[in-house]
Amino acid sequence: SNASNGGDDIFKNSTVIYKNNAGHGLSATDLKVYSSILDIEDNGYCGISAAGELFIDKKSDLIVSANGWNNLSGQAALRLSGEGKIESGSKVKIDGNYCSGIYLNKKSASLTVEPGALLSVTENGKMTDGDHGYTTPTASSGSMLVKSGGGILNMGTAVFPE
């Protein structure tokens, strides 16, 4: 099941860990993070799913790793359906997920990464290892759960600094 399912989440001066859930780690309508550390690891579906606004302030760190092992279609380490902003000075590390790293899943979805933000999206779309992912003929050990790559799957608008 999901660790968090829907609603508006605001984290201030916090350290938050969502780990080892069969469903989503952090699923929210709006997600706003101020001067906080979010550690989202080893969740079966999305690490973070934001249906509305996503805001990561300049003093926050996000670690989103090893999610999507119980993958269904449309999962991602960070899935965004609304508007997202990652402020200059923030640190966001999205790595080693079984699904896509970032997925803007609607035409109206957008993500703006300000100059000075440290965004790393690496080694996503990992192959299953027999302990993670569906053990079926199409997704057994050594199979990939994603068909669309492991970096950024973009149906909306993504703006990155030069």
Side-chain angles (χ1 to χ4, degrees), residues 87-110:
E87 265 192 341
S88 176
S90 62
K91 298 175 195 165
V92 178
K93 182 178 181 181
I94 300 172
D95 74 330
N97 295 282
Y98 292 89
C99 48
S100 294
I102 297 174
Y103 180 23
L104 303 181
N105 71 339
K106 292 185 177 180
K107 191 173 184 177
S108 59
S110 66

Side-chain angles (χ1 to χ4, degrees), residues 11-18 33-40 60-61 63:
F11 298 106
K12 294 181 180 179
N13 303 310
S14 303
T15 297
V16 180
I17 299 170
Y18 286 97
V33 184
Y34 303 93
S35 300
S36 295
I37 297 169
L38 267 61
D39 185 359
I40 314 294
S60 293
D61 294 354
I63 302 159

Side-chain angles (χ1 to χ4, degrees), residues 45-49 64-68 74-80 92-104 111 119-126 146 148-154:
Y45 297 165
C46 292
I48 297 173
S49 177
V64 189
S65 298
N67 297 287
Q75 306 306 329
L78 172 60
R79 182 176 67 192
L80 181 59
V92 178
K93 182 178 181 181
I94 300 172
D95 74 330
N97 295 282
Y98 292 89
C99 48
S100 294
I102 297 174
Y103 180 23
L104 303 181
L111 176 63
L119 172 64
S120 171
V121 182
T122 60
E123 298 184 24
N124 298 292
K126 288 177 27 174
V146 294
S148 52
I152 299 171
L153 178 57
N154 184 10

Side-chain angles (χ1 to χ4, degrees), residues 7 24 48 55-56 64 93 107 127 135 145 156:
H24 298 305
I48 297 173
F55 177 78
I56 311 300
V64 189
K93 182 178 181 181
K107 191 173 184 177
M127 290 192 179
T135 54
L145 296 174

